[in-house]
Amino acid sequence: MANDREVLREIWEGKVPVCFQLDSEEVCELQAPAPYYLMVPRLSYFPLCVDKVRKHFTRHIQKDKQDNEMWLEFNGAPLKWHLPIGVLLDLHAIDIQLPWNITVHFDKFPENAIMHCQNKEVVESYFLACIKESDVLKHRGQVVSSMQKKDHNQLWLGLLNDKFDQFWAINRRLMESSNDDGFKYIPFRCYLSEEKYIQKLVKPVNEEGQRKKLGHLLSEVFPDQEKVVVRTHGITPLPETPLQWLSEHLSYPDNFLHLCLINWSPEVTSK
Amino acid sequence: MADNEEDSLPAVEVPENEDQAGDAPSESDAPQSLEPISSDTNLGPSDQSQTVANKDLAKIDVYLKATGNAPIMKRKKWTVSQDQHIGWIAEFIKKYLKLDPNERLFLYINQTFAPAPDQTVKNLYDCYGIDGKLVIHYCKSHAWG
């Protein structure tokens, strides 16, 4: 069970300043519109916090494009909206200077690179699918399936409306474990890039019943590597961090740990 | 999106020893397909397709099962490149079943959750594979959750 409430709070309140700019080719006036600045929560998803960005830019583009789906680009590549904002930030940290400059598009949707997201319900069903998957890993899915529809709704609305207490009143049940060993498996994704991540079964305890550390997880994911360093929520947790604690406190609202690889030796990249 | 049908098909390979390898389903074959797991499961993972070892190291056996109102696929067992994405498999099923490209198709793992479209077959197999294969249910409407 998650006890260190101040850690949960701190993680929840993480925000990043973003400067949105309309792609210059899509401006239909002589002068480009002013950029739009926004503080966005790291734990959220872009489609949940860019309504005002859309409103700000649509009147500056061609009329026939104004109903198009908006998409975002950074460093010449589309940003995957279904990754939490903090994960995108950690993945691109080396190239980002704050405020984070993001280009806004309404034209030429990159069909092959990102999923469509016409409305927030698409994010909701993706988010709840992630929660279900994480519970399959943690509790064989028994906690999620014992919940009612209104509980699922409360998790979603807590995230959507940035309500910590509302979210955690339900999420604490997903973070409970029935015995001292912790979860059955630790739900995590370890990103090599925005395109590729590794997910596998890792238990929070070893065969002798001792609690594992983050370092154990990383050596199970990258058996050929010695000094693997990952970033999450903008920090690089120490390899000595207890794995079960990490899962309970540093997971994203989807209940997965999202770990971005920032250091490994080059020979493995050829795999 | 669904233009290059012919190009993408060869990436899914049918085990060579599977019965009725013909591509054109005939009506008389259909009833057999009602068996969720066809008899070829007895052959296990070490069938002839494994003789090309290198090639098969990167392939994973995937079983595609219809649920709800979705049409059944005549062939259920496929070998798929481990780096292939789930979204690609959904597109493949739609083409195989000749569904409208705009029609939605939902895939489920463990009959519980819908995997992310950019999730790879390897990650899912590592987490949810059973008896050397990954079972994916597909449906034309929300089946679970």
Side-chain angles (χ1 to χ4, degrees):
Chain A
M1 171 48 205
N3 284 318
D4 292 330
R5 200 171 166 88
E6 58 271 39
V7 174
L8 301 178
R9 242 315 162 189
E10 196 76 16
I11 295 289
W12 184 272
E13 288 173 355
K15 288 192 170 57
V16 57
V18 179
C19 170
F20 295 94
Q21 280 179 295
L22 183 61
D23 178 40
S24 58
E25 290 185 11
E26 298 190 26
V27 180
C28 72
E29 299 156 340
L30 284 174
Q31 207 175 357
Y36 194 88
Y37 292 86
L38 203 61
M39 288 293 282
V40 294
R42 278 179 166 264
L43 297 190
S44 189
Y45 298 84
F46 270 120
L48 307 186
C49 37
V50 293
D51 285 351
K52 288 177 177 168
V53 178
R54 181 183 180 94
K55 205 173 166 192
H56 176 76
F57 289 122
T58 41
R59 60 202 158 90
H60 300 287
I61 60 170
Q62 288 175 24
K63 280 228 154 36
D64 60 329
K65 308 269 195 266
Q66 287 178 357
D67 290 330
N68 283 8
E69 187 178 338
M70 186 172 93
W71 59 279
L72 304 174
E73 176 209 315
F74 173 70
N75 234 4
L79 284 172
K80 291 187 193 298
W81 62 261
H82 69 287
L83 299 184
I85 292 168
V87 177
L88 293 170
L89 193 67
D90 287 338
L91 280 168
H92 294 291
I94 199 165
D95 298 315
I96 294 176
Q97 287 184 316
L98 299 181
W100 185 8
N101 279 300
I102 290 178
T103 308
V104 174
H105 293 267
F106 293 86
D107 200 9
K108 300 188 181 118
F109 189 90
E111 300 285 348
N112 295 321
I114 53 176
M115 294 189 279
H116 279 285
C117 182
Q118 314 279 12
N119 51 52
K120 290 175 188 165
E121 285 75 51
V122 178
V123 186
E124 179 181 1
S125 69
Y126 176 74
F127 171 69
L128 290 175
C130 289
I131 293 231
K132 269 174 209 160
E133 176 172 2
S134 72
D135 197 53
V136 167
L137 293 167
K138 288 199 276 197
H139 311 108
R140 297 193 179 88
Q142 288 165 354
V143 177
V144 158
S145 58
S146 72
M147 285 180 173
Q148 297 179 334
K149 174 74 186 154
K150 69 173 171 62
D151 298 329
H152 295 173
N153 225 20
Q154 188 170 333
L155 285 169
W156 164 245
L157 291 175
L159 173 71
L160 180 67
N161 301 321
D162 199 11
K163 300 281 190 229
F164 177 86
D165 293 328
Q166 189 180 8
F167 177 82
W168 272 100
I170 304 298
N171 199 52
R172 59 195 297 277
R173 286 157 61 187
L174 294 166
M175 290 298 179
E176 279 166 3
S177 39
S178 51
N179 58 44
D180 288 344
D181 288 351
F183 300 142
K184 188 164 160 49
Y185 300 106
I186 300 289
F188 74 95
R189 287 174 182 165
C190 198
Y191 295 80
L192 314 185
S193 70
E194 195 177 334
E195 315 304 322
K196 190 167 168 61
Y197 56 85
I198 296 174
Q199 181 180 331
K200 59 196 292 186
L201 297 180
V202 173
K203 289 175 185 287
V205 291
N206 64 17
E207 283 169 11
E208 287 81 45
Q210 293 163 320
R211 293 187 161 222
K212 286 191 205 166
K213 313 272 169 66
L214 172 62
H216 294 116
L217 177 142
L218 294 174
S219 59
E220 286 178 44
V221 178
F222 304 105
D224 308 331
Q225 299 292 307
E226 281 189 12
K227 287 184 180 163
V228 179
V229 180
V230 289
R231 181 189 288 117
T232 185
H233 305 290
I235 57 169
T236 51
L238 296 173
E240 295 80 34
T241 315
L243 198 49
Q244 176 71 23
W245 184 90
L246 202 65
S247 183
E248 291 171 4
H249 295 85
L250 265 62
S251 288
Y252 275 75
D254 65 6
N255 277 251
F256 276 86
L257 284 169
H258 292 269
L259 309 169
C260 303
L261 193 64
I262 55 172
N263 181 30
W264 65 349
S265 46
E267 55 263 33
V268 164
T269 50
S270 60
K271 268 191 179 176
Chain B
M1 255 196 324
D3 286 344
N4 53 349
E5 177 176 356
E6 300 306 325
D7 294 337
S8 58
L9 282 177
V12 169
E13 291 183 5
V14 184
E16 289 168 25
N17 58 349
E18 185 158 357
D19 291 335
Q20 302 152 13
D23 264 352
S26 66
E27 297 212 354
S28 60
D29 289 331
Q32 290 179 312
S33 309
L34 291 167
E35 296 287 328
I37 301 171
S38 52
S39 56
D40 63 10
T41 47
N42 298 332
L43 298 168
S46 58
D47 54 33
Q48 289 164 12
S49 59
Q50 297 258 326
T51 51
V52 196
N54 269 348
K55 198 173 145 199
D56 281 326
L57 278 176
K59 302 264 182 188
I60 286 169
D61 283 346
V62 173
Y63 274 70
L64 301 175
K65 296 187 184 180
T67 192
N69 56 350
I72 285 160
M73 292 171 80
K74 178 169 165 279
R75 181 169 298 116
K76 293 174 182 63
K77 181 186 177 188
W78 303 86
T79 66
V80 181
S81 300
Q82 61 174 6
D83 291 329
Q84 205 59 264
H85 289 167
I86 281 298
W88 180 89
I89 291 185
E91 289 305 312
F92 170 77
I93 296 172
K94 280 161 77 171
K95 285 173 202 158
Y96 183 93
L97 295 174
K98 298 189 169 57
L99 301 182
D100 187 287
N102 295 321
E103 215 167 339
R104 294 195 66 185
L105 191 74
F106 300 87
L107 303 191
Y108 291 92
I109 303 292
N110 274 15
Q111 303 189 43
T112 312
F113 66 91
D118 66 345
Q119 180 65 286
T120 61
V121 171
K122 175 167 172 49
N123 283 342
L124 290 173
Y125 176 77
D126 284 347
C127 291
Y128 312 107
I130 296 171
D131 300 334
K133 62 181 189 282
L134 175 68
V135 179
I136 301 175
H137 285 79
Y138 62 91
C139 189
K140 286 180 10 174
S141 58
H142 281 296
W144 293 280

